[in-house]
């Protein structure tokens, strides 16, 4: 059975503000929904382990989000995430980073997780991310000394979407700019439209609207392994 590691943030606020944050639930739940439908197993991990902060858990019209959030086994996993120090990367076929602003404050510059992801990628693993999730690709340096991003085409949450969402002044850094400076190519479409870029074994999605399609692209890549 294929298995995906899902690292989530431990950071519970938007940057250094006191606004409740963490992982944006629909970007996690919509991908998990696709994994469940394709009988692909997953573990949820975080740098520190334990209960992971979620927001976007009360979107009435999002049936998929509500269904996954209401699942007892999901609740057990999100409330008891595996510490990344206890993760054995050889157990996994892919890594998926969901978005939310929280990870801009921890996974975006965590060298330990970056090293694990580099080992995983170099041993043939897949890396997928959506919205702010691609921030977790920033600290991934390959054994050649090259950043993973240096040869990759990616997308992620855009400057325009930060402006629309009212977060442009509170984020720790602008993800679009960080990726544009480090990646071989950064692309985007109109705010809030779906965009998924598959560059070999790296899959990225622009925003929440892209989460389902990132899940589908991940399943397709896993089938090729």
């Amino acid at each position: 059975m294929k298995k995906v590691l899902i690292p989530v943030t431990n950071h519970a606020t938007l940057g250094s503000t006191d606004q409740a944050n963490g992982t944006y639930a629909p970007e996690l739940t919509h991908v998990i929904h696709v994994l469940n439908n394709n009988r692909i197993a997953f573990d949820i991990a975080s740098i520190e382990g334990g209960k992971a902060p979620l927001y976007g858990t009360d979107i009435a019209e999002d049936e998929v989000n509500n269904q996954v959030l209401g699942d007892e086994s999901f609740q057990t996993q999100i409330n008891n995430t595996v510490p990344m120090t206890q993760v054995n990367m050889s157990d996994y076929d892919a890594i998926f980073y969901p978005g939310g602003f929280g990870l801009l404050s921890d996974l975006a510059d965590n060298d330990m997780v970056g090293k694990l992801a580099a080992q995983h990628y170099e041993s043939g693993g897949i890396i997928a991310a959506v919205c702010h999730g691609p921030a977790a690709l920033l600290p991934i340096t390959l054994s050649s000394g090259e950043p993973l991003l240096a040869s990759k085409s990616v997308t992620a949450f855009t400057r325009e979407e930060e402006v629309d969402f009212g977060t442009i002044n509170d984020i720790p850094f602008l993800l679009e700019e960080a990726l544009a400076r480090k990646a071989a190519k950064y692309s985007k479409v109109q705010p809030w439209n779906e965009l998924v870029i598959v560059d070999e074994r790296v899959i990225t999605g622009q925003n929440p609207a892209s989460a389902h399609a990132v899940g589908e692209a991940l399943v397709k890549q896993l089938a090729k392994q």
Side-chain angles (χ1 to χ4, degrees):
M1 189 190 233
K2 299 286 186 186
K3 197 170 192 185
V4 179
L5 178 69
I6 307 178
V8 296
T9 183
N10 295 117
H11 191 84
T13 63
L14 170 57
S16 57
T17 72
D18 57 4
Q19 296 173 53
N21 208 266
T23 295
Y24 188 55
E27 292 164 9
L28 175 59
T29 59
H30 279 258
V31 171
I32 284 175
H33 182 68
V34 175
L35 296 179
N36 286 340
N37 285 346
N38 288 275
R39 294 188 172 85
I40 293 167
F42 64 89
D43 287 331
I44 304 177
S46 64
I47 296 166
E48 297 165 17
K51 185 173 182 176
L54 291 178
Y55 69 109
T57 54
D58 52 359
I59 306 164
E61 66 277 13
D62 190 333
E63 284 179 27
V64 167
N65 196 41
N66 294 335
Q67 182 196 326
V68 175
L69 289 170
D71 181 76
E72 208 173 304
S73 64
F74 170 79
Q75 284 297 332
T76 299
Q77 284 196 268
I78 200 70
N79 289 318
N80 303 276
T81 63
V82 182
M84 284 300 293
T85 51
Q86 292 176 22
V87 164
N88 178 3
M89 284 313 305
S90 62
D91 292 344
Y92 303 98
D93 304 284
I95 300 174
F96 166 62
Y97 296 102
F101 297 92
L103 68 77
L104 296 178
S105 299
D106 61 4
L107 287 166
D109 62 3
N110 189 276
D111 288 334
M112 173 194 65
V113 179
K115 281 184 182 133
L116 290 172
Q119 290 162 12
H120 166 77
Y121 183 78
E122 293 193 309
S123 62
I126 299 160
I127 296 179
V130 68
C131 198
H132 288 90
L137 308 187
L138 291 166
I140 301 177
T141 304
L142 303 176
S143 54
S144 63
E146 279 269 292
L148 171 68
L149 286 165
S151 62
K152 296 297 170 198
S153 179
V154 295
T155 186
F157 206 61
T158 68
R159 184 182 189 281
E160 292 84 357
E161 287 164 335
E162 297 284 7
V163 171
D164 288 355
F165 209 58
T167 43
I168 191 78
N169 296 321
D170 292 325
I171 45 175
F173 65 94
L174 182 60
L175 181 55
E176 174 179 335
E177 183 183 20
L179 290 171
R181 288 180 183 277
K182 203 163 190 176
K185 186 181 182 187
Y186 171 88
S187 304
K188 61 184 177 182
V189 291
Q190 287 287 320
W192 312 109
N193 286 352
E194 182 186 301
L195 176 64
V196 175
I197 293 176
V198 180
D199 189 340
E200 295 175 331
R201 288 179 290 111
V202 175
I203 302 163
T204 50
Q206 180 172 312
N207 49 29
S210 310
H212 178 84
V214 165
E216 295 285 2
L218 175 54
V219 168
K220 199 181 268 189
Q221 283 288 324
L222 283 166
K224 289 180 185 173
Q225 277 187 334

